[in-house]
Amino acid sequence: MRVAVVQLKANDLKDYQQAFEHLEKKVLDASKDHDLILVPECSFPAYFIHSDEGDLGELLLSDGERYLNRIKEIARANHVYIAYGYVEKFGDQVYNSAILIGRSGEEVVKKRKSFLWHFDNEWFSEGEDLAVADTDFGRVALVVCADARMPEIVRLAVLEGAVLIIDLANLTATGPELSSLQNAQSAYMLSVRALENNVWLAVSDKWGVEANSITYTGRSGVFAPDGTTVYQASSDQNEIVSVEIPTDKKGEITRSSIRYPIKRRQELYTPLTVENNLLPISCIMKEKVIPEEITPYITVAAGEINNHTEYIQMIKRLVNHGSNIICMPSTSVDVSQHVDEVVSFLPESLVLIATVEEKNKRMLSYIITSNGIEATFSTLHHEKSLSKTATPIYQTKWGKIGIMHGIEALLPEWPRTLMVLGADCLIWPNCLTHSLASNIGRTRAAESRIFVVSASSRGDEDSGVSQVIDPNGSIIASTLRNEKIHACGTFTAFSLSRIKDVVPGTNVFKNRRPRFYGGLIK
């Protein structure tokens, strides 16, 4: 199955007719030898449609319907599927819509953007979260731009059987050079969405500037189920990304075996279905705090530290760095047998997270203070996990920390659950490759606006890069790749984890819609 992802230059509202003519030409070009064509979000008439830019009025009804019919004609004439992004007026409401048009020109499925972004709250109404349908090449799901930032939306579609996510986007970016722009979604989030759900994902975006104030990322592309980028466009020109997606003898999309198999535990994700005002994070976000008093200095070590002497030495060194919280990578050293030794040099307020990897690959994280072992948390997504065990959240004097182990971070529901239960920071011992751990960690941080501390225990050439990632998804501290054993540290202002706004009008917690999330716990 061949997919064409069309990347187009952005246009102002007043230039919509000329822009559609250009879009029509690109779609006609792509229709000759593709099965599916994607064009960006709000290809008609534009994205920034504030009334100051012009009066839409009858335009949305007359030209909007005419242009949509023209896209349907192209689909029918060329026997091709087309995913088309447009502004839709329905009754008194205006929606940011994506429609999948079938080979006969019929409407297959429509998605009205539900996770509205920034100023589009001013003119668009919320749509439904789920838009899934069957096609010749398998079940697909439509999402619109920021919808893909919400892990629940994509996950629900996959639980409904989607094998391909079609994302029509207007990804925004900032930077001094048009040719080097990136966006959190294009840089790491979309590849993680594909990987964590074991699906294909195709995204169509605009490039350039609209209304002298909105800069688009470009970077349209296709991501494979293993998280690899099959092809990604530039950020500064029109392109048609053409990718062959493998199919079976029936012509349906195929996927390789899951790269990191892990079993979901639906009973653990119940908090995701609870109304926002009843969740712990809702109260925590309202607390009055002095930022300085909830800003611990966190240090994290990296590498295979399986020698008792080296392990204790590293903890001592990080104590001497003035750490408030120390995160050690997983080790074979039985930390529980050396607690008295460790406690003897821990300052009164310091919190140490020491993780042991057992022979069956299950991890145990010990929360150790000067009083000894305060809590023990085991990997919950493991065949040896107990059916009933404590949720891995620990209250420190600075705020709550959550613990996730290894490939648990590839279950989007789990870090999300820890966030709504109040975690300001996720501690994540793992032994994944540097590039993969970094992409996953940055995604978990940005999608929930939370700190993530990735503690790597790898010892090969892609070894041991541990990182501290802030709620924007930015890496604020990192160890070196070529050091067998290394450590780094930084202040982490937990007050930032309680600001869930990404941009004005878009909040990663308040804009969740738990009433639609029942499918996550079935």
Side-chain angles (χ1 to χ4, degrees):
M1 191 276 283
R2 196 150 196 87
V3 59
V5 178
V6 178
Q7 177 167 292
L8 297 168
K9 187 176 182 180
N11 63 278
D12 290 352
L13 178 59
K14 63 182 176 60
D15 300 320
Y16 77 91
Q17 291 175 313
Q18 181 181 354
F20 187 84
E21 290 172 4
H22 189 68
L23 178 149
E24 182 182 16
K25 182 178 183 301
K26 288 292 184 182
V27 171
L28 282 168
D29 289 345
S31 66
K32 298 171 185 175
D33 51 3
H34 291 90
D35 298 287
L36 169 66
I37 302 169
L38 281 65
V39 299
E41 172 187 10
C42 292
S43 290
F44 167 81
Y47 178 54
F48 193 73
I49 57 171
H50 191 281
S51 58
D52 288 348
E53 302 298 311
D55 183 11
L56 289 175
E58 292 301 309
L59 180 153
L60 287 180
L61 292 175
S62 57
D63 285 1
E65 184 174 355
R66 179 162 60 90
Y67 288 172
L68 177 58
N69 287 335
R70 176 58 183 143
I71 297 296
K72 290 180 177 180
E73 287 174 10
I74 296 172
R76 181 169 53 252
N78 295 278
H79 200 57
V80 62
Y81 285 92
I82 302 176
Y84 173 62
Y86 68 110
V87 176
E88 177 196 12
K89 184 170 175 59
F90 185 78
D92 295 330
Q93 306 297 314
V94 176
Y95 294 100
N96 184 342
S97 295
I99 184 172
L100 180 63
I101 301 164
R103 296 187 191 272
S104 300
E106 79 282 12
E107 178 180 322
V108 177
V109 67
K110 181 186 292 182
K111 174 73 167 77
R112 291 166 172 161
K113 188 175 183 180
S114 54
F115 186 53
L116 298 180
W117 182 259
H118 202 173
F119 38 71
D120 66 11
N121 283 279
E122 296 294 322
W123 43 81
F124 292 130
S125 298
E126 286 184 346
E128 298 297 313
D129 279 353
L130 202 57
V132 177
D134 292 315
T135 68
D136 298 351
F137 39 81
R139 184 161 266 212
V140 304
L142 287 178
V143 296
V144 182
C145 198
D147 287 339
R149 291 184 69 106
M150 297 293 275
E152 294 93 340
I153 293 176
V154 177
R155 187 59 139 190
L156 285 166
V158 174
L159 291 173
E160 288 292 322
V163 295
L164 168 65
I165 306 299
I166 299 171
D167 184 4
L168 308 187
N170 282 177
L171 302 175
T172 58
T174 183
E177 298 293 338
L178 190 64
S179 62
S180 57
L181 295 179
Q182 274 286 9
N183 164 283
Q185 290 195 65
S186 63
Y188 52 87
M189 293 182 86
L190 294 179
S191 68
V192 172
R193 286 286 174 265
L195 173 64
E196 69 194 14
N197 290 294
N198 192 39
V199 292
W200 289 89
L201 189 151
V203 58
S204 174
D205 192 23
K206 296 175 185 174
W207 69 276
V209 178
E210 180 179 347
N212 298 123
S213 55
I214 307 164
T215 306
Y216 294 111
T217 310
R219 307 293 179 186
S220 302
V222 176
F223 302 89
D226 63 359
T228 57
T229 302
V230 179
Y231 187 89
Q232 190 169 60
S234 67
S235 59
D236 61 352
Q237 61 184 352
N238 291 340
E239 292 188 48
I240 296 178
V241 174
S242 181
V243 170
E244 184 76 33
I245 294 179
T247 56
D248 60 19
K249 293 179 180 179
K250 296 180 180 179
E252 296 186 352
I253 292 173
T254 60
R255 295 175 289 174
S256 56
S257 58
I258 298 176
R259 185 174 175 185
Y260 296 99
I262 183 170
K263 187 176 180 180
R264 298 173 70 245
R265 289 188 60 185
Q266 293 91 325
E267 74 277 10
L268 297 178
Y269 318 137
T270 301
L272 296 179
T273 65
V274 174
E275 288 302 316
N276 289 340
N277 64 323
L278 301 177
L279 290 165
I281 187 61
S282 181
C283 296
I284 292 171
M285 288 166 59
K286 297 174 185 176
E287 291 178 355
K288 293 182 178 181
V289 298
I290 299 173
E292 184 180 9
E293 293 182 356
I294 59 168
T295 303
Y297 188 78
I298 296 181
T299 52
V300 57
E304 286 186 296
I305 314 177
N306 293 321
N307 176 281
H308 165 259
T309 302
E310 288 182 332
Y311 192 84
I312 297 298
Q313 183 185 51
M314 177 57 80
I315 296 173
K316 285 183 176 180
R317 284 173 171 167
L318 296 182
V319 168
N320 293 332
H321 277 234
S323 305
N324 300 122
I325 298 174
I326 296 174
C327 306
M328 294 294 289
S330 61
T331 179
S332 60
V333 175
D334 188 350
V335 181
S336 65
Q337 299 300 310
H338 305 283
V339 172
D340 290 342
E341 180 182 6
V342 173
V343 165
S344 68
F345 59 80
L346 289 186
E348 184 175 344
S349 62
L350 188 144
V351 175
L352 167 68
I353 299 97
T355 301
V356 177
E357 183 170 338
E358 300 177 315
K359 291 181 179 179
N360 61 12
K361 301 300 181 181
R362 185 180 69 167
M363 291 184 186
L364 290 174
S365 287
Y366 297 97
I367 309 295
I368 303 172
T369 69
S370 58
N371 295 320
I373 297 176
E374 299 277 358
T376 304
F377 300 120
S378 66
T379 307
L380 293 185
H381 296 84
H382 190 277
E383 59 183 9
K384 299 295 183 182
S385 299
L386 300 175
S387 58
K388 292 184 179 180
T389 188
T391 301
I393 289 185
Y394 178 75
Q395 179 73 56
T396 73
K397 64 177 290 188
W398 304 279
K400 292 181 178 180
I401 57 174
I403 310 292
M404 58 183 183
H405 292 148
I407 59 174
E408 282 189 308
L410 273 168
L411 289 166
E413 302 94 326
W414 187 227
R416 196 76 161 159
T417 297
L418 297 176
M419 180 274 285
V420 302
L421 291 178
D424 292 298
C425 177
L426 298 180
I427 308 298
W428 179 35
N430 69 85
C431 58
L432 299 175
T433 62
H434 163 50
S435 57
L436 182 57
S438 185
N439 284 347
I440 295 170
R442 296 180 72 187
T443 297
R444 298 301 171 236
E447 70 191 10
S448 291
R449 286 203 50 82
I450 193 171
F451 283 95
V452 173
V453 180
S454 173
S456 175
S457 58
R458 284 185 74 92
D460 56 22
E461 63 241 4
D462 195 22
S463 64
V465 176
S466 292
Q467 296 178 326
V468 181
I469 304 166
D470 75 8
N472 291 317
S474 300
I475 299 165
I476 56 174
S478 178
T479 59
L480 295 170
R481 289 183 65 169
N482 58 353
E483 293 290 328
K484 182 180 178 182
I485 298 175
H486 196 210
C488 63
T490 185
F491 278 112
T492 54
F494 282 2
S495 55
L496 297 178
S497 290
R498 303 177 186 189
I499 301 171
K500 300 299 184 185
D501 291 315
V502 191
V503 289
T506 303
N507 187 289
V508 300
F509 171 67
K510 293 178 182 178
N511 293 143
R512 294 173 62 256
R513 306 202 295 176
R515 65 186 181 278
F516 296 117
Y517 298 164
L520 297 174
I521 60 173
K522 287 183 180 178

